[in-house]
C-alpha cells in the first residue's frame, strides 16, 4: 500500500511539473497584419460597382482594398502566381489568372467569395472581358492558345490556337473582336467575338509587347519592343494603317479619351511618346523617370501616370505625372521600390501603384498628386530577437523590408522600422550592453 501511495505521489508530481512547463499557443501576432499574404505585387483590377481594388502577385492570395478608406478588407485565396485580374462589369465578378495552377478563379465582386475555379492552358498571362457576348478570354502563354470562358456557366467553351507566346489581349466593342498579341510570332491574332474563330493574323514589328484600343477612330495600337515602333491597325478591315517610330523598347500603351491621344512608355530611352490618335503622328516626346513600365489614364483630371520601375541595383522608382492637355510634365511622385503596375479609381479620384520591390501599394491623391498612404500587402518574417531589458520582440520581415517591434507584455505591435530594401534584411542580433538591435541587410552590404 505504501509503495502504491509513493508511486501515485511521484506520478502526480511528474504530471504537474510537465503541465506547468509545457508550452501552448497564447496568441498569433500578424506582421504587419492578417490581411497580408502576397509579395511582388504586379497586377491590379478596379471594381467600380463596389469601389474595390484587387492586388495580385505571388504568394497564393489576392488582397482587396476599399477604395473609400484605403484599408485592406479581404484576403482571397488564389493560385500561386497571379498574372492577371479582370473585372466583369455586367455580372460583378472578378477573375484571377494563375500561372502555376493553370486556372482562372472566379470571385463574387460583392462578397469576395470564390465561386468557381476554371482549368485553362499553360501559363495563363492575360484576361479580357467581352460584354457583348458575355465571354472571358484567357491568353495561355506556353500552350500558345486562348481559352474562351462562358461567364454565366463558368466553363471553357472552346480553345483557340493563336501564335507563339500570347501575352496581351484587348477587346474591340465596335467590331466585336478580340486581339491577341503573340510576342514570339511577331503578329496579332484577330478573333471574332461571336463565333470564336480566327478571322485574321496581322504581322507587326519584332516582339510585340502591348496593345491599346482607340474607340474614337476604331484603331488598335501595338507596341513592338525590338523594332522600337508602334503598329496602327484598322479595326474594321484588320489592315495595317501605318508604323510609327517611338523610343527604345516600348513596353506600355494607354489612350487619352479626352484628347484622343495614345501614350507609349519606352523602357530603355526613359521617355513617353505622345501620338495623335487621328493623324497617327508623334506630337511630342516626354522625359520620364528610369525604365518607364506602366501607364494609366485618369479621365477625371485628364492626367497620365507613368510608373518608372527603376533598376535592381538601386531599387528606386517613381511616378511621372503628365498633363493630358499640354503633354507637359507636372509632377514626380516618390513611391515604393520598383513600381510596376497602376490602376485608377475615378470614384475617389485616386491612383494605386503596386511596388514590386517594397511589397506595398502606394495610394495617390490625383488632385494634388501627393501620397495619401502606403499599404503593406506582403511580408516574409524571417528572424526574431528578444530585448530582455525592455521586453520587446523584433521580427525581421525580409519581404516587406522592415522590422516589426512587438511589446512582450501586451503582444501589441509598437512600430515598424524600415531597413534594407528589396528582400535584403536577413538576420538580427541584440546587444544587451547598449540596448541596441542590429539588422544585417544582404544585398546593400549594410547593417
Amino acid at each position: 500500500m505504501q509503495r502504491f501511495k509513493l508511486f501515485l505521489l511521484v506520478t502526480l508530481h511528474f504530471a504537474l511539473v510537465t503541465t506547468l512547463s509545457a508550452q501552448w499557443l497564447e496568441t498569433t501576432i500578424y506582421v504587419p497584419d492578417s490581411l497580408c499574404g502576397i509579395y511582388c505585387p504586379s497586377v491590379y483590377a478596379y471594381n467600380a460597382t463596389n469601389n474595390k481594388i484587387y492586388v495580385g502577385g505571388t504568394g497564393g492570395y489576392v488582397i482587396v482594398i476599399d477604395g473609400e478608406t484605403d484599408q485592406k478588407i479581404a484576403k482571397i485565396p488564389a493560385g500561386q502566381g497571379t498574372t492577371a485580374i479582370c473585372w466583369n462589369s455586367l455580372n460583378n465578378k472578378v477573375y484571377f489568372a494563375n500561372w502555376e495552377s493553370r486556372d482562372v478563379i472566379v470571385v463574387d465582386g460583392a462578397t469576395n467569395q470564390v465561386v468557381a475555379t476554371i482549368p485553362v492552358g499553360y501559363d495563363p498571362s492575360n484576361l479580357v472581358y467581352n460584354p457583348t457576348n458575355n465571354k472571358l478570354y484567357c491568353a495561355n502563354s506556353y500552350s500558345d492558345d486562348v481559352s474562351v470562358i462562358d461567364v454565366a456557366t463558368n466553363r471553357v467553351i472552346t480553345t483557340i490556337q493563336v501564335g507563339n507566346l500570347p501575352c496581351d489581349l484587348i477587346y474591340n466593342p465596335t467590331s466585336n473582336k478580340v486581339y491577341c498579341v503573340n510576342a514570339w510570332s511577331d503578329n496579332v491574332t484577330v478573333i471574332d467575338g461571336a463565333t470564336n474563330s480566327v478571322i485574321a493574323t496581322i504581322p507587326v514589328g519584332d516582339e510585340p509587347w502591348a496593345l491599346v484600343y482607340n474607340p474614337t477612330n476604331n484603331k488598335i495600337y501595338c507596341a513592338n519592343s525590338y523594332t522600337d515602333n508602334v503598329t496602327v491597325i484598322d479595326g474594321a478591315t484588320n489592315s495595317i494603317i501605318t508604323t510609327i517610330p517611338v523610343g527604345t523598347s516600348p513596353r506600355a500603351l494607354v489612350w487619352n479619351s479626352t484628347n484622343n491621344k495614345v501614350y507609349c512608355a519606352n523602357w530603355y530611352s526613359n521617355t513617353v511618346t505622345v501620338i495623335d490618335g487621328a493623324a497617327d503622328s508623334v506630337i511630342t516626346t516626354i522625359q520620364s523617370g528610369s525604365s518607364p513600365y506602366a501607364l494609366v489614364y485618369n479621365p477625371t483630371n485628364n492626367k497620365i501616370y507613368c510608373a518608372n520601375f527603376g533598376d535592381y541595383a538601386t531599387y528606386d522608382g517613381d511616378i511621372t505625372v503628365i498633363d493630358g492637355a499640354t503633354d507637359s510634365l507636372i509632377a514626380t511622385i516618390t513611391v515604393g521600390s520598383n513600381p510596376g503596375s497602376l490602376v485608377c479609381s475615378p470614384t475617389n479620384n485616386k491612383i494605386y501603384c503596386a511596388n514590386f520591390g517594397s511589397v506595398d501599394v502606394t495610394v495617390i491623391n490625383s488632385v494634388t498628386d501627393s501620397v495619401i498612404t502606403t499599404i503593406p500587402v506582403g511580408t516574409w518574417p524571417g528572424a526574431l530577437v528578444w530585448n530582455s531589458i525592455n521586453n520587446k520582440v523584433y521580427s525581421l520581415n525580409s519581404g516587406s523590408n522592415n522590422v516589426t517591434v512587438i511589446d512582450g507584455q501586451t503582444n501589441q505591435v509598437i512600430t515598424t522600422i524600415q531597413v534594407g530594401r528589396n528582400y535584403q534584411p536577413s538576420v538580427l542580433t541584440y546587444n544587451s550592453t547598449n540596448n541596441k538591435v542590429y539588422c544585417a541587410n544582404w544585398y546593400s552590404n549594410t547593417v
Side-chain angles (χ1 to χ4, degrees):
M1 187 66 178
Q2 294 295 324
R3 288 183 179 180
F4 175 76
K5 287 182 179 179
L6 180 61
F7 173 78
L8 182 61
L9 181 62
V10 171
T11 303
L12 288 173
H13 175 74
F14 177 78
L16 180 61
V17 171
T18 302
T19 302
L20 290 175
S21 63
Q23 306 215 1
W24 61 91
L25 178 64
E26 179 180 322
T27 186
T28 300
I29 304 169
Y30 294 97
V31 285
D33 56 49
S34 61
L35 293 180
C36 283
I38 68 171
Y39 48 96
C40 303
S42 55
V43 288
Y44 267 134
Y46 176 63
N47 176 346
T49 300
N50 299 107
N51 194 18
K52 298 175 183 178
I53 295 89
Y54 302 82
V55 186
T58 306
Y61 296 95
V62 168
I63 304 299
V64 186
I65 299 172
D66 185 286
E68 179 67 31
T69 64
D70 299 323
Q71 298 295 312
K72 291 171 288 186
I73 57 175
K75 181 169 73 171
I76 304 173
Q80 284 291 341
T82 303
T83 51
I85 304 177
C86 179
W87 178 58
N88 173 346
S89 58
L90 293 183
N91 303 100
N92 194 20
K93 294 179 181 177
V94 186
Y95 303 88
F96 309 151
N98 305 295
W99 69 270
E100 186 172 309
S101 51
R102 303 171 189 169
D103 56 30
V104 172
I105 293 178
V106 187
V107 174
D108 186 295
T111 65
N112 300 320
Q113 297 299 308
V114 175
V115 296
T117 300
I118 307 169
V120 289
Y122 285 83
D123 195 7
S125 59
N126 207 282
L127 298 167
V128 74
Y129 176 61
N130 173 355
T132 304
N133 300 104
N134 205 20
K135 298 175 185 176
L136 182 76
Y137 301 80
C138 176
N140 306 305
S141 291
Y142 286 157
S143 51
D144 301 334
D145 54 34
V146 172
S147 299
V148 185
I149 300 169
D150 185 318
V151 301
T153 62
N154 296 320
R155 292 187 303 107
V156 174
I157 304 170
T158 187
T159 300
I160 305 169
Q161 201 67 32
V162 291
N164 196 0
L165 199 71
C167 60
D168 196 13
L169 295 167
I170 60 165
Y171 175 66
N172 175 348
T174 305
S175 306
N176 192 19
K177 297 174 183 176
V178 175
Y179 299 81
C180 175
V181 62
N182 308 300
W184 288 354
S185 296
D186 302 336
N187 59 33
V188 173
T189 302
V190 186
I191 301 169
D192 187 292
T195 65
N196 301 321
S197 58
V198 174
I199 55 178
T201 300
I202 306 168
V204 289
D206 192 9
E207 193 164 314
W209 191 275
L211 296 167
V212 76
Y213 177 61
N214 173 355
T216 300
N217 302 103
N218 194 18
K219 296 175 184 177
I220 296 87
Y221 296 79
C222 176
N224 306 303
S225 179
Y226 278 6
T227 47
D228 304 334
N229 56 36
V230 171
T231 302
V232 186
I233 301 169
D234 187 300
T237 64
N238 302 319
S239 59
I240 295 176
I241 299 172
T242 188
T243 300
I244 306 168
V246 290
T248 308
S249 190
R251 294 292 179 92
L253 296 166
V254 74
W255 181 63
N256 173 346
S257 57
T258 304
N259 301 106
N260 191 18
K261 298 174 185 176
V262 174
Y263 296 79
C264 177
N266 308 303
W267 174 270
Y268 287 124
S269 56
N270 302 328
T271 59
V272 174
T273 302
V274 186
I275 300 170
D276 187 302
D280 295 324
S281 58
V282 174
I283 298 172
T284 188
T285 300
I286 305 165
Q287 197 68 34
S288 66
S290 176
S291 305
Y293 187 76
L295 295 166
V296 73
Y297 175 63
N298 181 355
T300 305
N301 296 89
N302 193 18
K303 295 178 182 178
I304 297 86
Y305 293 80
C306 176
N308 305 302
F309 191 83
D311 58 61
Y312 287 110
T314 57
Y315 310 108
D316 55 1
D318 53 31
I319 291 179
T320 301
V321 187
I322 300 169
D323 185 295
T326 64
D327 296 321
S328 58
L329 178 65
I330 56 177
T332 299
I333 306 169
T334 300
V335 291
S337 175
N338 303 128
S341 184
L342 298 166
V343 74
C344 174
S345 166
T347 305
N348 300 102
N349 206 9
K350 297 174 183 176
I351 304 296
Y352 296 81
C353 174
N355 304 306
F356 185 91
S358 52
V359 201
D360 51 33
V361 172
T362 302
V363 185
I364 299 167
N365 183 327
S366 190
V367 177
T368 62
D369 292 322
S370 58
V371 173
I372 300 171
T373 187
T374 299
I375 306 169
V377 293
T379 185
W380 292 341
L384 291 169
V385 72
W386 179 54
N387 172 347
S388 56
I389 295 175
N390 300 105
N391 191 20
K392 297 176 183 177
V393 177
Y394 297 79
S395 170
L396 183 153
N397 311 306
S398 59
S400 48
N401 313 309
N402 55 35
V403 172
T404 301
V405 186
I406 302 169
D407 188 300
Q409 178 65 34
T410 65
N411 297 325
Q412 299 297 309
V413 174
I414 300 170
T415 188
T416 300
I417 304 168
Q418 196 70 27
V419 288
R421 303 189 69 182
N422 213 35
Y423 322 132
Q424 295 179 26
S426 56
V427 70
L428 292 170
T429 191
Y430 175 59
N431 172 355
S432 58
T433 304
N434 299 102
N435 195 20
K436 296 177 182 177
V437 176
Y438 299 82
C439 174
N441 305 306
W442 179 270
Y443 286 122
S444 60
N445 306 320
T446 59
V447 175

